[in-house]
Amino acid sequence: MTQLARRAEQMFRHAPRVVGAIRLSRYHDATTSPEVQEEMVTLAAHRIGGVLVGWAKDIDVSALKTSPWEREELAYWLERPDEWDVLIWQRMDRAVRSMADMANLGRYAKRHGKRLIFASGPGGDMLELDFGSAMSELIMLILAFAAQLEGQTIVERNQGAAARLQSLGRWAGGPVPYGFQPVRKTFVDGNEGWWLGEHPETADIRRAAIARTIARKSYTSTMEWLTTSGAVTPANHRARLMGREEDPESRWTTTTVRAMMLSDLNRGHLVTRDGTTVRNTDGTPVLQGDALITDETSRQLKEATKALAVEVLQAPRRRDAHELLGVLVCHHCILNMHTGTRTMPDGTRPQVFRCNSVQHGKGTPKPVVTKATTIAWAHAEFVERFGFIRRTQIVRTPGADHRPEISELKENLSELGARLPQLRGAAADVIVGQMNGITARLEELEQLPVTPPKVQEIELDTTWGDAFIAANDEGKRQIMLEMGVRITVGPPTGWRRPIEERLTMTIERDDPVQDELEDVVYQESV
């Protein structure tokens, strides 16, 4: 090795090990790219003769909301102080916007003997904080206070701008909701602005999820359907719009699905973080995007979400689901039979259906039947009795019923009325204006007639037997439930009694014509 090479190796070995830190806030730093920050950090590292050993690139992270230890990549290096000597940011506001965070960062650097450098300090020159001097620590806190004050000013300015844009019916920015994409639009006042336009792919996915919810599919079921169908997640939808790399770990959750179903964003309304719809002075909702669904679909969706909420509260989780759950019941208590085992004289333990109800008295034995034999009988009996019948489908033609909207407006009126006594001056005048607008709309809707929906039962080309034979065990159970089939297990009179003498199959199916007549009677009574 030449003398020059040995000297270069020695210099490299003793050069400060530098970690470059980059932070870009999702909302407030759109004018500063990560590339610019990286370039300035690299130049600062060369100025001190340092060697870059790694980068901490935290994108879409707010310094106002997260401390250095709450940022994934920066925290990685802070937890490994033995692997570096110098931490360099472009500016102090890239590191912190809080005096408390700066004080904690200073104590950390002092304890571990680290250098903190900002490529662009006051006046534009490089700034290095020396934690061996009390005056330097005071200067550090003063600069951190200035960064904190600037951050709060930015927040207030952005909030004011957002409120102004919202009052004009513009999209004020932020995370793009699922099913939408930001588009430029010319508004009725002749000015251009941002608007949430429909995103074809994800809008169709969101509408399909809404259709499943209206069909009373659970949020968990819809979440599993979205996952298995490969639907892009909300996080990756936003990543695609921003031209960023997608996160392979992003997953659908039931919380996300539920929030999508409950949000009035489906109708293009502007909503707050708690889901409340923002309203104009006349009580009408403020719009910020295209409506993905009609008002009628929205009403159906609200009814479905209320029903799902009731089901979640009332129905305990089932761990005993089986092939005839909801179909097979006890003759005495008319409750579902459950699975279990029974010890036979020869030592075998076949699976059985048994009644576990506490409604049986001491003199009323609980029925028990062999599981495999019962399932085989139920399937064969269904095909024999109903297999030749052509399948039918209930077709419902919606009528004109404004009662859900009337109910919603009355709820809004009550909400505004409860807030009014707490307000004074201009705020109270706004609420009064909204209440007057809602009242006018209520009077208009209450004058409209209610037209009942039409219900028809049409025949399909296939038979119930065809569909039943082609279905799996769960599909067969769903068909029997749809047909209103009930199988009653008679009292136990010995295991040698033929199974067909203990089981009784009946069918209880709604009559669509009778349903329609009952609906007409109901409409006339209100």
Side-chain angles (χ1 to χ4, degrees):
M1 182 181 294
T2 64
Q3 183 177 0
L4 182 62
R6 284 195 296 271
R7 184 177 179 184
E9 181 183 3
Q10 185 177 12
M11 291 176 62
F12 181 82
R13 185 180 304 142
H14 294 89
R17 297 168 298 172
V18 176
V19 171
I22 293 174
R23 183 193 62 79
L24 189 66
S25 174
R26 180 177 300 175
Y27 308 115
H28 311 314
D29 302 331
T31 58
T32 305
S33 69
E35 290 77 14
V36 172
Q37 295 185 48
E38 185 174 339
E39 180 181 357
M40 295 187 68
V41 169
T42 302
L43 289 174
H46 290 165
R47 285 183 61 183
I48 66 172
V51 177
L52 281 162
V53 296
W55 290 91
K57 298 182 179 181
D58 293 296
I59 310 300
D60 290 345
V61 175
S62 169
L64 282 170
K65 299 178 181 178
T66 61
S67 71
W69 284 266
E70 293 173 322
R71 303 168 204 165
E72 183 177 359
E73 296 202 10
L74 182 56
Y76 172 87
W77 291 103
L78 293 176
E79 293 169 359
R80 294 165 175 79
D82 297 335
E83 300 179 12
W84 56 278
D85 306 302
V86 185
L87 197 54
I88 302 180
W89 286 270
Q90 180 200 18
R91 299 193 307 267
M92 179 172 285
D93 63 353
R94 297 297 166 192
V96 295
R97 283 196 185 274
S98 161
M99 294 178 64
D101 288 345
M102 189 70 252
N104 291 334
L105 198 58
R107 282 192 289 268
Y108 171 90
K110 188 173 184 178
R111 183 169 65 253
H112 294 285
K114 303 301 178 184
R115 298 166 63 185
L116 303 182
I117 295 178
F118 306 99
S120 177
D125 196 12
M126 187 173 71
L127 170 67
E128 178 174 354
L129 297 178
D130 178 11
F131 297 99
S133 165
M135 183 59 67
S136 295
E137 292 189 18
L138 176 60
I139 294 173
M140 172 194 71
L141 291 178
I142 291 174
L143 293 174
F145 172 74
Q148 178 175 331
L149 187 62
E150 180 188 8
Q152 292 174 345
T153 302
I154 290 173
V155 169
E156 292 172 0
R157 185 170 66 244
N158 286 339
Q159 288 176 343
R164 173 61 178 167
L165 289 173
Q166 291 169 3
S167 68
L168 296 174
R170 273 67 159 172
W171 179 58
V176 180
Y178 198 78
F180 297 90
Q181 59 183 343
V183 296
R184 297 293 290 177
K185 176 181 175 180
T186 302
F187 293 87
V188 292
D189 58 8
N191 295 319
E192 277 197 1
W194 286 106
W195 179 259
L196 287 177
E198 180 177 319
H199 183 262
E201 178 189 353
T202 54
D204 287 343
I205 294 172
R206 186 162 185 155
R207 278 191 287 261
I210 288 171
R212 290 179 60 87
T213 302
I214 292 175
R216 301 300 195 271
K217 300 292 184 181
S218 67
Y219 299 132
T220 301
S221 171
T222 300
M223 180 269 292
E224 293 172 349
W225 170 76
L226 288 165
T227 301
T228 56
S229 63
V232 60
T233 63
N236 284 336
H237 166 58
R238 290 191 287 271
R240 289 181 182 181
L241 292 177
M242 298 171 65
R244 290 172 41 205
E245 185 177 349
E246 296 182 28
D247 180 7
E249 300 300 321
S250 180
R251 297 288 185 270
W252 282 99
T253 66
T254 53
T255 302
T256 301
V257 173
R258 180 179 179 275
M260 284 171 50
M261 298 301 101
L262 295 176
S263 177
D264 273 339
L265 269 169
N266 294 314
R267 290 193 283 177
H269 294 180
L270 173 64
V271 296
T272 60
R273 289 185 178 180
D274 62 359
T276 303
T277 297
V278 180
R279 298 187 175 276
N280 294 308
T281 55
D282 61 356
T284 59
V286 176
L287 300 180
Q288 66 172 349
D290 294 335
L292 300 185
I293 59 176
T294 64
D295 290 344
E296 177 61 31
T297 303
S298 176
R299 294 188 196 105
Q300 294 175 4
L301 178 60
K302 282 196 172 184
E303 292 176 2
T305 54
K306 289 179 180 178
L308 288 175
V310 171
E311 289 175 8
V312 169
L313 291 174
Q314 292 183 347
R317 294 184 178 180
R318 302 204 65 94
R319 298 182 179 180
D320 58 347
H322 57 74
E323 296 85 343
L324 296 178
L325 181 64
V327 176
L328 191 68
V329 298
C330 169
H331 76 284
H332 179 76
C333 56
I334 316 300
L335 296 178
N336 288 329
M337 301 282 285
H338 302 277
T339 55
T341 58
R342 181 185 180 99
T343 303
M344 303 299 290
D346 58 1
T348 59
R349 294 178 58 84
Q351 288 191 320
V352 297
F353 290 121
R354 66 170 72 250
C355 180
N356 295 331
S357 172
V358 296
Q359 296 184 20
H360 291 261
K362 292 184 178 180
T364 308
K366 299 178 180 179
V368 179
V369 288
T370 306
K371 180 178 180 180
T373 307
T374 303
I375 292 175
W377 179 89
H379 291 174
E381 185 73 6
F382 180 89
V383 172
E384 180 180 352
R385 294 183 59 180
F386 311 112
F388 65 92
I389 300 175
R390 285 195 174 275
R391 293 187 65 188
T392 58
Q393 182 177 4
I394 303 298
V395 177
R396 299 180 183 272
T397 304
D401 186 356
H402 298 282
R403 286 174 299 177
E405 184 178 355
I406 291 173
S407 176
E408 180 182 353
L409 290 175
K410 287 182 177 179
E411 290 178 5
N412 295 334
L413 201 59
S414 299
E415 177 189 347
L416 294 174
R419 291 169 53 189
L420 185 59
Q422 306 170 10
L423 304 174
R424 289 180 296 178
D429 293 340
V430 171
I431 297 298
V432 170
Q434 291 181 345
M435 293 178 70
N436 289 335
I438 293 175
T439 301
R441 177 62 176 165
L442 267 174
E443 293 175 351
E444 177 186 346
L445 292 178
E446 288 176 342
Q447 298 301 318
L448 298 177
V450 175
T451 304
K454 294 183 178 180
V455 184
Q456 294 176 297
E457 186 174 17
I458 61 174
E459 282 193 353
L460 303 179
D461 293 336
T462 58
T463 65
W464 285 108
D466 296 333
F468 194 83
I469 293 171
N472 57 18
D473 286 340
E474 175 59 20
K476 288 180 171 64
R477 186 176 77 90
Q478 292 296 335
I479 289 175
M480 286 190 283
L481 290 173
E482 183 179 349
M483 287 281 290
V485 170
R486 170 177 289 180
I487 300 175
T488 304
V489 181
T493 55
W495 280 83
R496 296 186 179 181
R497 184 181 177 187
I499 193 69
E500 57 270 16
E501 294 183 12
R502 298 194 58 201
L503 302 176
T504 304
M505 178 178 287
T506 57
I507 185 168
E508 300 175 3
R509 197 155 185 232
D510 294 335
D511 183 352
V513 176
Q514 183 62 31
D515 287 346
E516 184 176 2
L517 291 174
E518 291 176 357
D519 190 73
V520 170
V521 172
Y522 173 74
Q523 302 288 351
E524 293 176 348
S525 65
V526 295

